[in-house]
Amino acid sequence: MPERSPSTARIALNRPLRRLFDYQIPGNLELEPGQRVSIPFGRQSATGLIVETGVEPPQGITLKPVHSAYEPWPALPAETFQLLAWASDYYQHPLGECLFTALPPALRRGRPAAAKQDTWWKATAGPEALAGNSYRQRALLAWLQRHPHGASTSNLTAAGFTREQIRTLHKRELIEETEAVKPAENPNDTASTQPGPTLSPAQQAAADQIPAPGTGFSASLVYGITGSGKTELYLHYLKQQLSSSAQALVLVPEINLTPQTVARFQRYFGQRIVVWHSALNDGERLSTWLKIRHGEPVILIGTRSAVLLPFTGLKTIIVDEEHDSSYKQGEGFRYSGRDMAVYRAHLNQCPVILGSATPSLESYQNALTGKYQLIRLEERAGNASPPAINLLDIRSRPLEGGLSRPALQAIDQCLADGQQALVFVNRRGFAPVMMCFDCGHMVECPRCDTRLTYHRRDRAMRCHHCDYQTAATEHCPKCQSEAFKPVGQGTERTEDILATAFPETPVVRVDRDSTQRKGSIQGILKKVNTGEPCILVGTQMLAKGHDFPNVTLVIVVNADGGLFSVDFRAPEQLIQTLLQVSGRAGRGEKSGQVLVQTCHSDHPILKSLCRGHYLTLADQLLAERETGQFPPFRAMAIFRAEADTMEKSLALLDMIKPLARVTGIEVWGPLPALIARRADRHRAQLVLCCDNRKRLNHVLGHLCQNLDQQKLPAGVKWMIDVDPQETG
Ligand code: ADP
Ligand code: ZN
Ligand code: ZN
């Protein structure tokens, strides 16, 4: 072996390239893996991350020297680096892009790793100093007067004031900067002495089974039915077991990271709670990232990408609603946040706790084989009991806007009893399609193989698969007939029907459209939180994690969508959604009822659903997966291609098929994707299955290498999806 030369470094760049770049390290620099450097690249300079030092440069090539290091410490400490390197290999994504995903945007762009100081303010005058209608500014001065130690900008924004108000008062010299108070002594910390309810015996028994932080690696699957108090369990576990100097990570699906969830954690842990989600701005990202990197003993509540942050004192990981499909990144670096959490717990030798009322079949199988410990929590907290689920066969019943008479009667009764009802519709918009009853024409997206959804509120027809939209017309665009009508159910239509049927009762719609327009789901849910009778109409968004104590009735408008899908995951996802949405009923004092409208009331899946025991259903589904040799019984990856024509996509896959078809690998396809054309790209796929994960990984790596060395026809793109969530 040649002697290693200490003066060279192998560097990763934030580019979709499956290669690294070698540079020389100048004598005055000492560099280690994970460190951020500035390097000359082409005619410009670029930000890179050191992957390795002391590499042997190729013969006869003079390497350019590294310009400088941004900071004397590695931006990615060893464990984070290892995690990302593992993920790059496992998910077949270029190392550079994986590593840079773990940096906040500012550091990717080569900005310094220093957060703007959180300025501290104190008032120099009272609210009486302000005349006129500057009501909020007076309130701010009054607030500061009540806090004699002053308060930071973030304390003030957390209390509902804006940066603009702070700036204005500062300009008018009514407030001034003052010395900061240490976090531990911050009198504005919201941690109160009012802990939540004491755990029930069942909850305590569950808590006792979770291994303490610092006892090495362990994975526990908490199967806790909806409303069993899983969140309460996590809170107590952290409060009792996490040392005050340790870091903890709590992963939640995006939609569950609501101010209510955060407030619940803050009640126990005050400012030790920090959050990480897609709505943070670059400054907030950087300052939180630095806290994590510098080992501050925070409890981070975050969405998927939080699992990539550079923790240095991580002692426990919780993944709430672990079955949620949003943990899987759908594009680019297609990692699973949940699976990386488990791997990370391995690297850290710490416990990981996966919780769900409807665990994924992957995790459940791991519990059955003893890889995970199964902890059951099968009663509801407080006095609540699980709701009764009943099927409502709608084959020969007249429907009004998708709702059957018994469903409307049940809503009527529920409202008369002073309770709230929730109506679940699986599509937003008014109707999934506009159809001409004279010529049969249905309006399709010009760029995708899909139909346009009719949105009546803004008189538009929209594609839910690309950003195409067009104005809705009164007549059939093909034959001009007036018999041009919406077909099927969307949330808007159900909202209209309910508003007409129950004119006295507020109807609250919750879907992506209504939450985007009104800003936040919290604002919309204010009505619901008053507890007054009302009807909630919504999509998936309503199914997840919310605690509505006064909802006692849940209506599922149509359960049949997932029953006959070609996707092998569809039955699992259908059951999870139905049980999660059912779980919104009867969480308070009064018991709940669920009515599921279906045309297939004898379908075995729906029949077992009524018996309501998820693990029994999961056993059945696992048996089917085993027969079909689907995951989790085999590893799966999808090789996708897209191009401006289907021929090109299929040709690429035809070319690699023989390379993929080696011993032990089963290959299906190539086949056009379920939606073959999307935003004018023609998509096809090849599915690879293998008994042995390592072998599949090896073959995928080989395919990537091979393709990287080829010149592909213009416009053709390929990507690999390991452990795919969507197989269509
Ligand atoms: P999950 O996360 O399992 O759906 P939550 O933790 O949100 O359940 O609890 C459901 C409801 O029950 C919440 O309103 C919570 O405050 C309440 N709750 C949980 N544990 C207890 C308890 N031990 N005593 C009284 N109420 C509880
Ligand atoms: Zn027509
Ligand atoms: Zn489209």
Side-chain angles (χ1 to χ4, degrees), residues 636-649:
M636 181 186 271
I638 297 186
F639 206 103
R640 302 183 204 273
E642 56 170 67
D644 44 1
T645 65
M646 183 54 81
E647 288 68 39
K648 280 190 194 169
S649 291

Side-chain angles (χ1 to χ4, degrees), residues 201-230:
Q203 287 171 327
Q204 190 59 55
D208 292 342
Q209 289 177 67
I210 306 176
T215 50
F217 171 74
S218 64
S220 309
L221 176 63
V222 177
Y223 163 64
I225 62 167
T226 54
S228 58
K230 290 182 290 299

Side-chain angles (χ1 to χ4, degrees), residues 215-251:
T215 50
F217 171 74
S218 64
S220 309
L221 176 63
V222 177
Y223 163 64
I225 62 167
T226 54
S228 58
K230 290 182 290 299
T231 313
E232 216 56 57
L233 182 72
Y234 309 146
L235 287 165
H236 278 258
Y237 169 75
L238 293 174
K239 192 82 189 172
Q240 288 165 358
Q241 309 265 22
L242 189 71
S243 88
S244 58
S245 60
Q247 294 179 324
L249 167 62
V250 182
L251 287 180

Side-chain angles (χ1 to χ4, degrees), residues 677-714:
R677 187 176 50 114
R678 195 160 169 167
D680 276 331
R681 303 283 293 166
H682 296 259
R683 310 147 71 227
Q685 61 187 38
L686 200 62
V687 179
L688 280 64
C689 287
C690 185
D691 286 337
N692 183 319
R693 226 163 242 298
K694 280 223 173 74
R695 172 141 192 83
L696 180 60
N697 173 266
H698 185 80
V699 171
L700 290 173
H702 186 69
L703 290 179
C704 287
Q705 255 182 8
N706 192 299
L707 281 172
D708 276 341
Q709 284 158 9
Q710 300 200 24
K711 186 146 172 42
L712 300 177

Side-chain angles (χ1 to χ4, degrees), residues 511-699:
D511 56 24
R512 188 130 55 89
D513 301 320
S514 72
T515 48
Q516 247 164 28
R517 195 157 320 126
K518 298 240 176 92
S520 82
I521 191 163
Q522 293 316 307
I524 293 176
L525 292 177
K526 265 197 190 120
K527 266 255 155 51
V528 185
N529 294 332
T530 62
E532 294 292 307
C534 71
I535 307 171
L536 273 154
V537 181
T539 54
Q540 294 273 8
M541 270 191 164
L542 273 183
K544 296 181 177 180
H546 303 285
D547 196 23
F548 306 124
N550 290 316
V551 168
T552 54
L553 174 69
V554 166
I555 308 270
V556 176
V557 168
N558 189 335
D560 301 343
L563 286 177
F564 305 100
S565 163
V566 294
D567 191 329
F568 77 92
R569 290 191 196 275
E572 176 190 2
Q573 282 163 356
L574 173 71
I575 290 168
Q576 287 168 342
T577 303
L578 291 178
L579 279 176
Q580 291 288 346
V581 72
S582 300
R584 299 317 112 202
R587 291 167 77 91
E589 296 284 319
K590 294 218 171 146
S591 61
Q593 195 203 164
V594 182
L595 292 177
V596 179
Q597 297 193 144
T598 173
C599 292
H600 303 278
S601 56
D602 45 3
H603 196 289
I605 284 188
L606 294 180
K607 279 165 87 176
S608 352
L609 181 80
C610 295
R611 286 180 223 117
H613 193 258
Y614 179 74
L615 293 189
T616 313
L617 276 159
D619 285 328
Q620 289 169 14
L621 292 180
L622 273 177
E624 284 166 25
R625 295 266 188 102
E626 187 163 22
T627 312
Q629 282 298 293
F630 282 111
F633 297 93
R634 282 205 295 184
M636 181 186 271
I638 297 186
F639 206 103
R640 302 183 204 273
E642 56 170 67
D644 44 1
T645 65
M646 183 54 81
E647 288 68 39
K648 280 190 194 169
S649 291
L650 290 173
L652 175 74
L653 297 179
D654 274 327
M655 180 190 78
I656 64 160
K657 185 169 179 175
L659 302 172
R661 216 175 186 172
V662 294
T663 322
I665 309 273
E666 192 180 335
V667 184
W668 307 330
L671 279 176
L674 211 53
I675 298 175
R677 187 176 50 114
R678 195 160 169 167
D680 276 331
R681 303 283 293 166
H682 296 259
R683 310 147 71 227
Q685 61 187 38
L686 200 62
V687 179
L688 280 64
C689 287
C690 185
D691 286 337
N692 183 319
R693 226 163 242 298
K694 280 223 173 74
R695 172 141 192 83
L696 180 60
N697 173 266
H698 185 80
V699 171

